[in-house]
Amino acid sequence: LFLGFFTLKKTNSSKLSVVFCLFTMAFSLWLFGDLITWTTASYGPIIFVWSWLDYLNIVFFALGTYFFVLLARDGLSSFEKIIMLLVCAPAFLLSIGGYSVGDFYQPACEVIEDTAITNYKLFAEGIFVLMLLYSLIWGWIRFSGPKRVQLVVVASAILLFFASFSLTEYVATITNVYEINLYGLFVLPLFLIVMVFAITNLGIFKARFLGTQLLVYTLI
C-alpha cells in the first residue's frame, strides 16, 4: 500500500500509477481477508470473507496484468477491456450467489471450497498471464535498449509472483490443506524488492526524484 500510494502521489496520479495503486489495494484487501480467515474464531466472518477471496484473487491478477499492459503498450483496446470484465464476471456471480464455498469443516475451522470456482480461477489466471506475455512480446518487438530491460524485469517479477501464488493456491484447494497457501506469500518480499528496483533504477513511472526518495523510505 505504501508503494502504491507513494507512486500515486509523486506522479500526480498518472494512469500507470493509478492502476498500480489499485493493484496494491486489491492484493492488500486479499491479504486482510486471508488474515481474518486465519485469526478469527467466529464461523460467520470466516465463511463470508472466504467466499470472496477467489474473486479478489482474480481481480488483483487482472489489475496486475493491466498495469503491465499499460507499461508495455500504453493501454488496452476496447475489446481487451471487455474480455477482462467478462473473465472477472463469473467469479463475481459465483461469489455473490453463495456458490464459491461449500461445507464448513469445524474441527479445523476451515471452509471447503467449491471446485467450480477453483477451476475457473485457474482458467482466469491463465487468461491474464497470456495477455501479459503477449504484451511482453509486443513490447520486446517494438522497443529496444533500456525499455526492453524495463519490461523484462517487471514482467519477471509479476510472473514469478503470480506463478507461486497461483500454484500454492491450487494445491491447497485440491488437497484441502490450506496451510500450503501461505507458502505462496514467501515470494512477496522478492516481488517488492524487484518493483522498488524497477521504480528507482529503471524509472518506470518517469517521475523526478522518485527513485532516491522511495529507496530511502523503503530502506527505513
Side-chain angles (χ1 to χ4, degrees), residues 3 7 20 23 67-68 71 148-162 186-205 211 214-215 218:
L3 194 62
T7 53
F20 181 69
F23 165 64
F67 164 72
F68 183 78
L71 183 66
R148 281 187 176 181
V149 175
Q150 188 184 90
L151 293 178
V152 170
V153 169
V154 175
S156 299
I158 295 176
L159 286 173
L160 177 62
F161 174 58
F162 280 2
F186 283 161
V187 78
L188 181 59
L190 178 60
F191 171 72
L192 290 174
I193 289 170
V194 174
M195 287 306 301
V196 170
F197 171 77
I199 294 170
T200 56
N201 290 56
L202 303 180
I204 61 175
F205 289 107
L214 181 60
L215 183 60
T218 306

Side-chain angles (χ1 to χ4, degrees), residues 1 23-34 49 53 56:
L1 282 175
F23 165 64
T24 62
M25 289 173 65
F27 180 64
S28 296
L29 188 59
W30 185 95
L31 282 174
F32 181 69
D34 191 54
V49 172
L53 286 180
L56 283 174

Side-chain angles (χ1 to χ4, degrees), residues 8 21 30 32-33 58 77 87 89 106 131 141 151 180 185 195 201-202 204-205 209 211 218-219:
L8 188 67
C21 188
W30 185 95
F32 181 69
I58 293 173
S77 66
V87 170
Q106 289 189 349
M131 291 179 68
I141 294 172
L151 293 178
I180 296 173
L185 301 178
M195 287 306 301
N201 290 56
L202 303 180
I204 61 175
F205 289 107
F209 309 119
T218 306
L219 286 173

